[in-house]
């Protein structure tokens, strides 16, 4: 919301996002909203994903979980790991609990740690970055990778879709994703 109301001015958008986030978020949730707001606002004028990620990171503390999640994914991507390996590294670094809420522990892979309840923002932001990087600028591939990472898939895919839509406009979204909307929101 704040990015769209203040396109191209992340410093202003982030101020409003912070005030908004303080109402119904805490800790890492606030950092997640600030990060995504900065990325989305800047995306109206900047198209390079790595520069946008840097801009988002510049608004959050160096020692927070959201930054750790993003940095973990960037490192995995740069070292040549595939998206599934990047996801595994992400959850080792900042384990979430979202999937564990509705999944019996016996069905969660033994090598996948489960974080404390409510500590999902760092892994959710990491999943957005996984879809963005490994999707190779292909809208469909990016969204599908994000969803296939699991967890809070509707939010991670929706946020990534917003980022990609801001960067590429309507022409970046394949018609098969637009047809079900019938031109309406």
């Amino acid at each position: 919301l704040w990015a769209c109301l203040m396109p191209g001015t992340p410093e202003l958008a982030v101020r409003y996002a912070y005030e908004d986030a303080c109402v119904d978020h805490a800790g890492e949730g606030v950092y997640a909203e600030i990060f995504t707001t900065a990325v989305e606002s800047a995306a109206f004028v900047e198209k390079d994903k790595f520069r946008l990620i840097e801009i988002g990171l510049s608004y959050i503390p160096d020692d927070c979980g959201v930054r750790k999640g993003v940095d973990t994914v960037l490192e995995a991507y740069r070292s040549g790991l595939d998206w599934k390996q990047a996801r595994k590294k992400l959850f080792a670094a900042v384990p979430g609990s979202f999937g564990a809420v509705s999944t019996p522990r016996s069905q969660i892979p033994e090598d996948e740690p489960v974080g404390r309840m409510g500590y999902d923002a760092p892994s959710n932001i990491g999943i957005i970055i996984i879809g963005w990087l490994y999707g190779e600028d292909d809208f469909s591939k990016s969204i599908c990778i994000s969803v296939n990472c699991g967890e809070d898939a509707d939010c991670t895919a929706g946020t990534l879709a917003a980022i990609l839509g801001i960067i590429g406009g309507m022409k970046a979204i394949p018609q098969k994703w637009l047809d079900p909307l019938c031109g309406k929101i």
Side-chain angles (χ1 to χ4, degrees):
L1 168 68
W2 302 113
C4 292
L5 291 174
M6 294 160 225
T9 57
E11 61 284 345
L12 186 57
V14 161
R15 277 200 258 157
Y16 282 89
Y18 173 78
E19 296 299 329
D20 175 55
C22 289
V23 173
D24 58 0
H25 294 68
E28 296 296 333
V30 173
Y31 302 141
E33 184 169 341
I34 289 169
F35 174 84
T36 56
T37 297
V39 167
E40 290 173 1
S41 178
F44 282 95
V45 295
E46 172 65 56
K47 304 306 178 200
D48 180 80
K49 69 180 91 172
F50 294 103
R51 179 68 188 120
L52 289 168
I53 292 168
E54 285 177 27
I55 290 168
L57 290 174
S58 74
Y59 287 95
I60 60 174
D62 289 340
D63 63 347
C64 72
V66 170
R67 182 179 195 105
K68 184 175 184 180
V70 171
D71 286 343
T72 299
V73 173
L74 286 169
E75 180 183 317
Y77 180 77
R78 290 177 176 145
S79 68
L81 299 180
D82 67 27
W83 71 264
K84 292 177 185 175
Q85 294 166 317
R87 181 192 182 278
K88 192 172 249 190
K89 285 219 174 261
L90 171 66
F91 278 87
V94 288
S97 64
F98 192 87
V101 171
S102 60
T103 307
R105 184 64 183 143
S106 62
Q107 293 178 6
I108 298 172
E110 287 182 29
D111 63 342
E112 186 166 306
V114 175
R116 68 183 188 272
M117 296 304 289
Y119 189 76
D120 299 301
S123 56
N124 285 345
I125 298 299
I127 288 170
I128 292 166
I129 302 302
I130 288 173
W132 196 4
L133 298 180
Y134 289 92
E136 302 170 332
D137 300 319
D138 177 299
F139 184 89
S140 297
K141 183 177 179 182
S142 298
I143 298 304
C144 289
I145 288 172
S146 178
V147 168
N148 285 331
C149 282
E151 298 299 305
D152 195 5
D154 61 326
C155 291
T156 55
T159 301
L160 180 54
I163 293 168
L164 296 173
I166 292 168
I167 292 170
M170 291 290 288
K171 67 183 183 308
I173 305 171
Q175 196 60 42
K176 70 180 181 181
W177 294 91
L178 298 171
D179 285 344
L181 302 177
C182 301
K184 297 178 184 174
I185 296 177

